[in-house]
Amino acid sequence: MAFLQILFLTSLSLFFTPSHSQLSLDYYKQKCPAFEQTIRDTITNKQITSPTTAAATLRLFFHDCLTNGCDASILISSTPFNSAERDADINLSLPGDAFDVIVRAKTALELTCPNTVSCADILAVATRDLVTMVGGPYYNVLLGRRDGLVSKSNYVEGKLPRPTMPMSQIINIFKSNGFSIQEMVALSGAHTIGFSHCKEFSSGIYNFSKISQYDREYNPRFAQGLQQACKDFTKNPTLSVFNDIMTPNKFDNMYFQNLPKGLGLLRSDHGLYNDPNTKQFVEMYAADQNKFFQAFAKAMEKLSVYKVQTGRQGEIRHRCDAFN
């Protein structure tokens, strides 16, 4: 009887084992030895020709993982019968270069290792390698994810932070996904690369109040520069500005150094420095890049296994934009 009880409890523990415990660093060592080199070659070529690819892919990865776990559901294209995640309002501005680099990597891997590598694993590793390529920290990425079987645009709202949200709401979104305030601030450091469209911060630089044209959180010269850079944004919605105007193509801690100087671009950037819950971490990372890199790497390792699917929970797609 005791043996049966132990067997039953062991079975239960196996049943409730988190999916990410089935992942491993060397998952493709035997199955697809060319996996890492193929991704490295693909992202290198893409980043050289399109320098915004690193930031674009990092953002794509965030939007995938925070919505329903890291399952590459963001890559699915809509059909007449289904409106997919990528067509949710908040995802419409995701850059095409990010989707393109994953498609290129998947195409190359299908030639060398057919039906072996998931799009979710490609996205996770391509993100890490691109971050490293532009100067960011290296971190481990466990492998063996399966691609999700569901992608619906109406699942997205409320799961991703918007730059216009108050900091308390952004904190709650991360907390509901199991991330601490410090982890949230570290992940926000991704804004050290990439750009934002003018429409995302236009309310802070034009006709802000009766007293001032722009939000006083901005450095005055910076606000005036933004007004000039974005003056035609209503006619040209693609107009954008680098998130970090000092070192826009280098992954470093300059983003955090900019915030106390009024050089944050978005309302959420100003919020990070002004909210007492987050300010201490902004100041810590502004003063010490190593601490930022360590925290970012640790938070990315955690994010990359968030609600992953393994085994029979998902599939390995033949192409990343469509279910099998």
Side-chain angles (χ1 to χ4, degrees):
M1 186 69 180
F3 171 76
L4 288 175
Q5 284 179 326
I6 292 170
L7 188 63
F8 175 69
L9 288 171
T10 303
S11 300
L12 272 181
S13 68
L14 288 172
F15 182 77
F16 287 110
T17 298
S19 292
H20 64 76
S21 66
Q22 298 175 39
L23 306 178
S24 64
L25 289 172
D26 59 354
Y27 186 82
Y28 293 110
K29 188 175 183 180
Q30 304 297 329
K31 297 180 180 183
C32 186
F35 168 70
E36 289 191 4
Q37 189 60 49
T38 301
I39 290 187
R40 207 168 292 127
D41 291 344
T42 304
I43 64 133
T44 300
N45 291 334
K46 180 66 179 178
Q47 178 67 18
I48 288 171
T49 55
S50 303
T52 59
T53 300
T57 307
L58 181 53
R59 185 171 171 225
L60 184 70
F61 181 69
F62 281 151
H63 282 230
D64 182 49
C65 292
L66 283 179
T67 297
N68 199 36
C70 305
D71 64 352
S73 52
I74 190 69
L75 303 176
I76 292 293
S77 293
S78 293
T79 68
F81 310 103
N82 178 57
S83 177
E85 278 178 34
R86 66 194 291 176
D87 284 323
D89 174 61
I90 196 171
N91 288 332
L92 293 176
S93 62
L94 289 171
D97 282 330
F99 292 96
D100 180 61
V101 74
I102 304 305
V103 168
R104 290 187 188 199
K106 176 64 171 174
T107 303
L109 285 164
E110 283 299 302
L111 292 173
T112 52
C113 314
N115 305 316
T116 303
V117 181
S118 69
C119 300
D121 276 348
I122 293 171
L123 178 55
V125 172
T127 300
R128 189 271 313 279
D129 288 354
L130 281 162
V131 165
T132 306
M133 189 176 175
V134 294
Y138 181 90
Y139 54 90
N140 288 323
V141 176
L142 294 170
L143 301 166
R145 295 165 188 75
R146 289 293 190 267
D147 297 321
L149 300 170
V150 177
S151 180
K152 294 187 178 295
S153 59
N154 60 1
Y155 286 5
V156 177
E157 188 58 40
K159 294 186 178 179
L160 292 167
R162 291 181 180 272
T164 53
M165 286 179 176
M167 189 49 54
S168 58
Q169 191 174 351
I170 295 175
I171 289 171
N172 286 336
I173 286 176
F174 277 90
K175 276 189 174 180
S176 68
N177 290 317
F179 291 88
S180 68
I181 293 175
Q182 183 169 2
E183 288 168 335
M184 184 211 76
V185 177
L187 291 172
S188 298
H191 279 183
T192 187
I193 53 175
F195 58 85
S196 295
H197 290 97
C198 291
K199 65 178 181 180
E200 294 178 353
F201 55 88
S202 59
S203 62
I205 60 172
Y206 296 117
N207 303 314
F208 181 72
S209 69
K210 292 179 180 178
I211 303 171
S212 175
Q213 268 281 306
Y214 56 84
D215 186 341
R216 293 300 175 90
E217 299 294 343
Y218 287 103
N219 175 292
R221 287 182 62 191
F222 183 45
Q224 290 159 14
L226 292 177
Q227 288 172 342
Q228 190 64 27
C230 294
K231 64 181 179 180
D232 294 324
F233 86 95
T234 53
K235 298 174 186 174
N236 181 5
T238 63
L239 281 178
S240 55
V241 176
F242 286 119
N243 293 319
D244 167 13
I245 59 164
M246 305 303 285
T247 55
N249 295 313
K250 183 182 179 184
F251 197 101
D252 54 21
N253 70 334
M254 187 60 71
Y255 165 75
F256 293 109
Q257 293 183 45
N258 288 339
L259 298 184
K261 301 171 186 173
L263 299 178
L265 192 62
L266 305 168
R267 178 182 174 186
S268 54
D269 296 331
H270 299 303
L272 278 178
Y273 185 66
N274 293 327
D275 191 299
N277 294 300
T278 52
K279 183 176 182 177
Q280 59 179 314
F281 301 117
V282 170
E283 292 177 333
M284 180 196 301
Y285 299 147
D288 191 330
Q289 182 168 281
N290 287 331
K291 285 184 178 177
F292 165 48
F293 276 19
Q294 289 167 9
F296 182 83
K298 193 173 178 182
M300 286 296 286
E301 286 184 5
K302 179 176 176 177
L303 178 64
S304 71
V305 295
Y306 180 61
K307 290 185 179 179
V308 294
Q309 299 182 26
T310 56
R312 295 180 182 177
Q313 294 172 322
E315 64 181 8
I316 294 174
R317 291 184 209 139
H318 302 313
R319 48 184 291 174
C320 291
D321 64 349
F323 301 120
N324 292 345

